[in-house]
Amino acid sequence: MAVTELHLQDRLTRLSLAPELGASLVNWEVKASGQALLRHSDLAALESGTPRRLACYPLAPWSNRIAEGGFARPEGWQPLAPNTGHDPYPIHGSAWQQAWQVEHHSERRARLTLHSEVPFAYLATLDVHLHEGCLNLDLHVTHLDEAATWYGLGLHPYFPRYPDTQLYATARKVWLAEPGRLPSYQAQVPEQWCFNALGRLPETVVDHAFSGWPGECVIEQPSAGYRLACSASGAEQFLLFCPQGQGFFCFEPVSHPVNAHHLPGRPGLRLLQRGEGMSLGFRMQYRPL
């Protein structure tokens, strides 16, 4: 499919976006060298029509999976159907599967908006800003339905992975699951998943949510000659996905753990009345080594 891209640039980096593909980021790279700072999206990825092949997309009005075919709201049950062909659970909300509108676009800034009716009415806004090699992403939702409901937010960036890629991101606990079920309890972070100091990504598959995150992380790419110093607001959790044999990994700042709608106390979710909102921000500062 043909996709219209928006282009932004600052002195050091340039960025392309695809509003109609779930407000996805397509490529973010260093102007002087063409070095990819997020996973590179080629023409085939762009024409695939799915944000899952691109560099980053917003997660609203929830992140990751929800079990039991929906969740309870104060005024009744909110049913949810699976929204992909390969997963039995509805995943990552509905914003990533809809076309967004361009409200503003200049050399260094863009504002994208989505008026959604699925699975309930909300307004989502993504503000994108480049400044001196820093990519700023600010995601906001406003609830528009009459009935109050639970919200969560996240961002889903894909980062290049090299043999010497290193990560720093502290966490107090990791969410684990009983066999065949979604995560339901927290445990101490095992040594191989502990990134309290800069260290290489594990060789085994990781696909877990981590809690007690203060919102700071560093992604260092020695062989590619740069690091990203990152900070988040509105996110006390992150998801780390490291598949085997792939040239990427995902570090996702999120407001809540997987299946929070069915966990005691609904950790990280917010019950929004009509007109109320919540926000999540993520900053990625490029620095050459």
Side-chain angles (χ1 to χ4, degrees):
M1 61 177 292
V3 177
T4 302
E5 292 181 76
L6 293 184
H7 297 275
L8 282 65
Q9 65 174 335
D10 64 9
R11 184 175 64 88
L12 298 174
T13 67
R14 54 181 168 241
L15 176 73
S16 55
L17 305 96
E20 62 199 89
L21 296 182
S24 295
L25 310 189
V26 179
N27 283 303
W28 181 36
E29 60 188 22
V30 180
K31 290 171 71 172
S33 64
Q35 172 66 54
L37 302 176
L38 293 171
R39 179 180 66 175
H40 174 68
S41 304
D42 60 15
L43 183 59
L46 189 61
E47 292 181 344
S48 72
T50 174
R52 289 174 176 266
R53 294 280 304 277
L54 302 178
C56 178
Y57 55 92
L59 310 176
W62 73 85
S63 159
N64 215 275
R65 295 161 176 83
I66 298 179
E68 300 181 28
F71 60 89
R73 305 191 298 178
E75 297 189 25
W77 185 257
Q78 172 66 58
L80 296 174
N83 57 350
T84 68
H86 61 271
D87 200 303
Y89 303 107
I91 185 169
H92 290 333
S94 60
W96 69 285
Q97 295 180 312
Q98 300 183 70
W100 293 48
Q101 304 301 310
V102 181
E103 185 172 308
H104 170 79
H105 177 217
S106 61
E107 184 179 53
R108 293 192 292 117
R109 294 180 181 271
R111 169 171 285 188
L112 309 181
T113 58
L114 170 67
H115 291 264
S116 179
E117 298 292 334
V118 182
F120 38 75
Y122 65 89
L123 169 65
T125 302
L126 180 66
D127 283 299
V128 184
H129 177 211
L130 281 179
H131 178 68
E132 291 296 304
C134 185
L135 173 54
N136 301 269
L137 301 174
D138 290 290
L139 178 63
H140 182 83
V141 291
T142 301
H143 182 53
L144 301 179
D145 235 25
E146 291 289 347
T149 196
W150 297 96
Y151 275 79
L153 296 176
L155 290 164
H156 198 308
Y158 296 78
F159 296 96
R161 181 174 182 175
Y162 304 99
D164 58 354
T165 294
Q166 297 184 79
L167 174 68
Y168 163 77
T170 63
R172 288 198 297 269
K173 296 289 181 69
V174 60
W175 286 91
L176 299 178
E178 302 294 341
R181 301 183 64 85
L182 293 180
S184 59
Y185 67 96
Q186 297 187 79
Q188 295 296 322
V189 180
E191 183 178 353
Q192 66 269 28
W193 299 346
C194 184
F195 297 98
N196 291 340
L198 202 61
R200 292 193 180 185
L201 299 175
E203 296 300 325
T204 55
V205 174
V206 183
D207 190 4
H208 292 283
F210 295 78
S211 63
W213 178 46
E216 304 289 331
C217 82
V218 174
I219 296 166
E220 189 153 304
Q221 310 278 24
S223 61
Y226 73 92
R227 65 161 47 187
L228 296 178
C230 309
S231 62
S233 58
E236 294 184 357
Q237 322 253 344
F238 66 84
L239 280 94
L240 180 63
F241 176 47
C242 299
Q244 282 187 304
Q246 299 290 331
F248 71 87
F249 73 101
C250 299
F251 184 94
E252 308 165 37
V254 294
S255 64
H256 60 281
V258 178
N259 201 31
H261 296 74
H262 297 291
L263 295 176
R266 298 182 181 89
L269 297 179
R270 286 190 57 186
L271 181 65
L272 298 184
Q273 307 288 336
R274 185 177 186 183
E276 293 182 333
M278 68 179 296
S279 299
L280 182 146
F282 196 42
R283 315 278 177 269
M284 292 173 275
Q285 175 68 62
Y286 158 73
R287 300 189 190 281
L289 293 176

